[in-house]
Amino acid sequence: MAKKLILALSFCLMALTTFAQVPKREVRAVWLTTLNGLDWPTVKATSAESAERQKQQLCNILDQLNKAQVNTILLQTRVRATTIYPSQYEPFDGCLTGHPGRNPGYDPLAFAISECHRRGMELHAWVVAIPIGKWNNIGCRQIRERYGALAIKKGDEGYMNPESPQTAGYIAKICKEIVDNYDVDGIHLDYIRYPENWKYGVSRAKGREYITSIVRQIHQTVKSAKPWVKISCSPIGKYSDLTSYSSRGWNAYETVCQDAQGWLREGLMDQLYPMMYFRGDNFYPFAADWAQNTYGRTIAPGLGIWLLSRGGEGNNWPLSDITREMSVLRHLGMGHTYFRSRFFTDNVKGIFTFAERDFDPYPALAPAMTWQSAVLPSQPKGINLSSQGSKLHLRWWGATDNSHADYLMYNVYTSTTTPVDISDARNLIACRVRQPQLTIDGCDDRHYFAVTAIDRYGNESLPLQSMTIAPPTVEWLPNDGRYLKQPDYDPTISCDYLSIQSMAGNVMTIRPKTDKQLNIRTLPNGVYTLHAVDKKKHSRRIGQFIVKRD
């Protein structure tokens, strides 16, 4: 009992870690589920017009996730022996059109990749490995017709036989098709394990060998094509029983033959997203176990934010259960992943607001894959600054890299002091920019800039620092670091409340329009914009200011 009390107190103290200590490198991910259109799409592509609405729905979701600084999208790509892209092996999933096997008239995976990359996000193709859907559904039926005993029936569901040598080759073939034809940043394996209702005819050790052989073949296939593509999986949230804490009969290693920590140790996985949909003693000791066994790789545990909702047995968790877990994961040096997207963007119990305003107010880069490559790309050349109205245009000469010049991207930093500190997440304003230029709207004030090149492994070059300062074109709003006087602005502008935003566009605080002196004590040093916001949440910038305390 004493040991449990001490552990509980230590985790409570970790949960009090200040949110201001936001790391520059951290995975912030979300599972975007396409099965039955749970997260996307709810609009069916039955015509050119509805296909455009389906695309716009995805863009709206990504815009929201981008506001909360999510940097990794795990998009369900192989659903149940069905896909959301034109595959030569499996039919289209019915989530796209409402009719399994029917082409939606565009390539949803290609579109999603383009939109994620445009926002500086990574897209990982989420591949459901073993389950292949209802026995008589199109995906399962097609595998049965073509490969016979490769499909096993359990109840009315079909599964790929994990003990068949054909299974590894078939799933690896699907992953290779995705990697060869699409600019994905990762292959994310889901349900790469035995089904929980499987009646084992082999030992658990032999079962782990079968599952590991599938993982190994996928790894070899993907890495031989594009070594920078990250391979990950979502194991059961408890790896195994711990010395002082039982997994209560549900763990990855023994229950479903999923040796996820062994895959990290062998180098078969670059990332893990353990499904840690628990709380209390079922969460914290097992989170610490993952953190102690990363083998230098990246782990971003999955949080069951759907449990915040009020429907279903065991749901209706208080928000504090999730926010405390997020703080502990950060303290342990791990990222965090939301299951699922819709519960996050619907802001159930304020989870989105907490992430956007308090926990992740600044962008973050995913940790570099230094185990794959640790060579820094070369430095960009000469920044050119020009302004046009409220827009500031940055241009630079692209970096050169002998091996992968076509795959270099850029990060942009800004601050009011020089040289710009690129280790400070607060200075990062644009991630993974694809072209050597950037236009910033509303940045018509005094700023220095730094640009770095970043390669597909996440390695970042030395910074190119701007030698000149962007010319001011507007006046600063005066403040004393404690209070900001509300400025005079056009009375025709509709205003129901005032919003203060960071230069990255994140809402830092909201104030009543009746406040003539706006309290800005909680804002860290930096540059901010002041906006008038109406009831429809339409925003108009009315000024900008610097918080600079000695």
Side-chain angles (χ1 to χ4, degrees):
M1 179 62 72
K3 182 185 293 185
K4 288 188 177 183
L5 180 59
I6 292 171
L7 184 66
L9 288 172
S10 67
F11 280 121
C12 287
L13 289 173
M14 284 191 282
L16 295 176
T17 301
T18 174
F19 297 142
Q21 298 173 352
V22 180
K24 174 185 161 180
R25 294 271 189 173
E26 183 178 68
V27 170
R28 302 169 185 169
V30 65
W31 279 287
L32 187 57
T33 307
T34 59
L35 176 67
N36 299 323
L38 288 173
D39 293 324
W40 176 81
T42 60
V43 175
K44 303 305 177 187
T46 57
S47 65
E49 181 183 6
S50 57
E52 289 302 316
R53 291 202 305 271
Q54 188 176 92
K55 293 179 185 178
Q56 187 58 51
Q57 183 185 43
L58 179 60
C59 289
N60 293 342
I61 293 170
L62 295 179
D63 283 341
Q64 280 189 273
L65 296 174
N66 194 32
K67 284 181 63 179
Q69 310 300 348
V70 169
N71 58 22
T72 304
I73 306 298
L74 308 174
L75 177 65
Q76 195 168 27
T77 300
R78 186 195 190 218
V79 186
R80 291 292 187 272
T82 51
T83 66
I84 64 164
Y85 68 93
S87 170
Q88 63 175 309
Y89 306 114
E90 296 184 336
F92 272 109
D93 190 77
C95 70
L96 299 167
T97 64
H99 301 277
R102 183 173 296 181
N103 192 317
Y106 75 106
D107 189 331
L109 180 57
F111 179 77
I113 292 169
S114 176
E115 291 299 316
C116 284
H117 287 174
R118 192 164 66 84
R119 293 164 175 80
M121 298 170 162
E122 294 188 9
L123 185 140
H124 297 212
W126 166 4
V127 173
V128 178
I130 299 299
I132 51 178
K134 299 296 183 183
W135 189 247
N136 290 316
N137 282 2
I138 185 172
C140 182
R141 188 173 69 246
Q142 185 169 293
I143 288 179
R144 290 193 288 115
E145 291 171 352
R146 294 181 179 179
Y147 301 98
L150 189 57
I152 299 293
K153 187 177 184 182
K154 299 290 181 183
D156 61 352
E157 298 283 338
Y159 297 89
M160 302 195 73
N161 184 357
E163 297 169 11
S164 170
Q166 284 184 287
T167 294
Y170 184 85
I171 300 175
K173 183 170 62 176
I174 294 292
C175 294
K176 178 174 172 55
E177 178 181 57
I178 295 170
V179 169
D180 284 348
N181 296 325
Y182 297 94
D183 187 19
V184 294
D185 301 285
I187 292 292
H188 176 65
L189 301 171
D190 184 25
Y191 220 113
I192 185 73
R193 59 180 177 85
Y194 273 82
E196 51 267 37
N197 58 352
W198 192 273
K199 293 183 179 179
Y200 286 89
V202 298
S203 67
R204 290 299 197 272
K206 188 63 177 178
R208 286 189 289 273
E209 287 181 22
Y210 283 129
I211 300 298
T212 298
S213 69
I214 300 173
V215 173
R216 189 175 291 116
Q217 187 158 341
I218 292 170
H219 177 272
Q220 292 169 349
T221 300
V222 169
K223 294 295 186 179
S224 63
K226 294 179 181 177
W228 58 85
V229 171
K230 298 171 183 174
I231 298 178
S232 68
C233 73
S234 51
I236 301 301
K238 301 173 183 179
Y239 174 67
S240 186
D241 288 332
L242 305 178
T243 303
S244 301
Y245 294 90
S246 169
S247 66
R248 303 178 185 180
W250 181 238
N251 66 63
Y253 190 75
E254 288 291 341
T255 313
V256 294
C257 298
Q258 195 175 41
D259 188 11
Q261 290 183 7
W263 300 340
L264 291 178
R265 184 174 58 250
E266 190 178 335
L268 299 178
M269 289 282 164
D270 300 300
Q271 298 179 325
L272 291 184
Y273 296 83
M275 299 181 292
M276 299 198 67
Y277 311 146
F278 319 110
R279 55 183 172 177
D281 285 354
N282 284 313
F283 181 91
Y284 297 111
F286 297 93
D289 179 59
W290 288 114
Q292 292 164 8
N293 292 280
T294 66
Y295 298 96
R297 302 317 199 246
T298 303
I299 300 182
L303 300 167
I305 62 170
W306 93 89
L307 293 163
L308 296 171
S309 64
R310 290 179 171 81
E313 184 179 353
N315 291 21
N316 202 24
W317 286 13
L319 179 62
S320 58
D321 280 351
I322 296 294
T323 59
R324 188 178 301 114
E325 290 178 355
M326 291 170 68
S327 186
V328 168
L329 293 179
R330 177 166 288 172
H331 183 91
L332 292 171
M334 297 190 288
H336 49 278
T337 309
Y338 305 106
F339 186 80
R340 310 178 334 252
S341 172
R342 182 175 294 185
F343 292 95
F344 187 59
T345 56
D346 281 354
N347 200 23
V348 175
K349 288 192 178 168
I351 180 62
F352 183 92
T353 300
F354 168 78
E356 179 192 15
R357 295 185 188 174
D358 300 325
F359 198 73
D360 295 326
Y362 311 110
L365 304 173
M369 299 168 63
T370 52
W371 53 90
Q372 195 79 52
S373 171
V375 178
L376 301 186
S378 57
Q379 192 178 27
K381 310 295 182 184
I383 298 177
N384 177 269
L385 302 174
S386 62
S387 60
Q388 183 178 7
S390 64
K391 296 182 184 296
L392 180 67
H393 303 286
L394 280 72
R395 292 180 176 84
W396 56 90
W397 284 268
T400 57
D401 182 275
N402 293 332
S403 57
H404 299 295
D406 293 339
Y407 296 101
L408 287 178
M409 300 163 288
Y410 303 93
N411 301 320
V412 181
Y413 302 79
T414 187
S415 75
T416 55
T417 59
T418 186
V420 179
D421 182 1
I422 69 166
S423 68
D424 191 336
R426 294 173 296 180
N427 295 334
L428 180 60
I429 60 170
C431 307
R432 295 164 52 89
V433 177
R434 297 278 164 150
Q435 299 297 325
Q437 58 185 4
L438 182 69
T439 297
I440 306 171
D441 192 13
C443 189
D444 48 1
D445 45 22
R446 296 185 183 276
H447 272 80
Y448 291 95
F449 292 89
V451 179
T452 62
I454 186 170
D455 65 17
R456 295 304 295 267
Y457 301 100
N459 298 305
E460 190 175 27
S461 75
L462 295 175
L464 168 66
Q465 300 279 353
S466 64
M467 302 304 294
T468 58
I469 200 164
T473 58
V474 297
E475 295 183 358
W476 297 100
L477 300 178
N479 71 88
D480 61 2
R482 298 175 301 164
Y483 293 97
L484 171 73
K485 182 180 178 182
Q486 185 179 154
D488 295 327
Y489 54 90
D490 187 345
T492 64
I493 295 176
S494 179
C495 179
D496 292 282
Y497 58 90
L498 295 164
S499 167
I500 295 175
Q501 298 183 15
S502 69
M503 293 307 299
N506 299 309
V507 176
M508 305 300 294
T509 185
I510 292 174
R511 295 287 183 259
K513 69 174 182 178
T514 54
D515 287 358
K516 299 304 180 184
Q517 295 286 334
L518 306 180
N519 190 334
I520 58 172
R521 292 172 184 265
T522 60
L523 295 179
N525 287 350
V527 180
Y528 302 92
T529 55
L530 181 66
H531 297 252
V533 185
D534 63 20
K535 291 179 180 178
K536 295 182 179 180
K537 298 185 179 179
H538 295 149
S539 176
R540 291 281 298 273
R541 186 168 65 89
I542 58 176
Q544 56 196 34
F545 62 97
I546 296 177
V547 175
K548 188 175 182 180
R549 307 180 188 92
D550 294 332

